[in-house]
Amino acid sequence: MFHERDRDPDRDPDRCVLLLPGARYPTRAPLLWFAREVAQQRDYTVLEVLEEPPPGANLFAWGQERAREALDAATANRLVVIGKSLGSVAAGLVADRGLPAAWLTPVLDQDVVLEGLSRTSQPTLLVGGTRDSMWQPDRLPENSALQTVELEGLDHSLQVEGDPFASLEALRRVTGAVAEFLDGLETA
């Protein structure tokens, strides 16, 4: 269910990034794969939820339960959550625990996500594309902890349909935004 990467004795065990998957976007897909790489480069251990929702599952309940279990399993003093799409249904759980988070394509068309984001007090990065119907930044609550990165012409996978090279450039930009976010946590 969970997998902790790189229990390297040189890595600080008190610094961990928790990766939460999307409904059909596992932690080994490009956005989360490179978020992991960036975190490891900065000496974070990585705990990832490897499961995907089973057919017919209540997606929100499944996402919140997996996030709760993973948060309970994480023992690091400094924990950062990075999640894709469905993972953002855990925004309230993350806010209640006072944790920073990066949400890639959060489902901003869902009140449960918006309500959770309204309560966050820690730095929170939101990344979305203008061709994603769930990316609705105009619905975001007023909260100085929220930082948004909006990418023109990208869909819910943060890709440009039919243009793999533009999609690779978008992946580079998202990876850079995650890197800057993690670096900013170090100076906060």
Side-chain angles (χ1 to χ4, degrees):
M1 174 160 161
F2 306 117
H3 180 60
E4 192 162 23
R5 294 237 174 215
D6 285 338
R7 293 301 293 163
D8 184 329
D10 294 332
R11 250 185 244 289
D12 186 346
D14 279 340
R15 294 164 35 99
C16 181
V17 163
L18 169 60
L19 295 177
L20 299 177
R24 287 174 290 284
Y25 200 95
T27 58
R28 293 192 169 112
L31 293 168
L32 294 174
W33 180 271
F34 285 102
R36 173 194 308 108
E37 292 292 310
V38 163
Q40 290 174 332
Q41 183 185 46
R42 284 153 178 76
D43 293 323
Y44 283 89
T45 59
V46 175
L47 178 66
E48 57 187 295
V49 174
L50 293 178
E51 288 182 78
E52 294 180 54
N58 175 319
L59 293 178
F60 285 13
W62 182 91
Q64 287 180 331
E65 184 58 30
R66 289 307 164 279
R68 183 177 293 107
E69 291 170 356
L71 287 165
D72 290 345
T75 59
N77 289 325
R78 181 153 180 117
L79 181 61
V80 180
V81 177
I82 300 176
K84 170 74 171 85
S85 186
L86 175 64
S88 67
V89 301
L93 296 169
V94 172
D96 292 345
R97 294 183 188 219
L99 299 173
W103 302 113
L104 309 178
T105 68
V107 288
L108 300 182
D109 61 342
Q110 298 297 315
D111 290 339
V112 67
V113 174
L114 297 170
E115 196 278 324
L117 292 173
S118 73
R119 297 196 322 264
T120 192
S121 61
Q122 294 302 308
T124 300
L125 174 66
L126 308 169
V127 181
T130 60
R131 296 186 62 91
D132 177 2
S133 64
M134 290 181 257
W135 175 252
Q136 299 177 9
D138 54 314
R139 294 190 69 207
L140 284 170
E142 287 292 322
N143 185 335
S144 61
L146 302 178
Q147 170 194 353
T148 61
V149 174
E150 184 173 82
L151 301 167
E152 188 65 37
L154 300 184
D155 63 17
H156 191 65
S157 295
L158 292 179
Q159 293 181 242
V160 178
E161 188 177 335
D163 190 340
F165 295 104
S167 296
L168 285 170
E169 176 58 24
L171 177 60
R172 186 195 64 75
R173 291 175 60 198
V174 173
T175 302
V178 171
E180 287 179 27
F181 176 73
L182 290 175
D183 291 346
L185 294 177
E186 296 304 312
T187 60

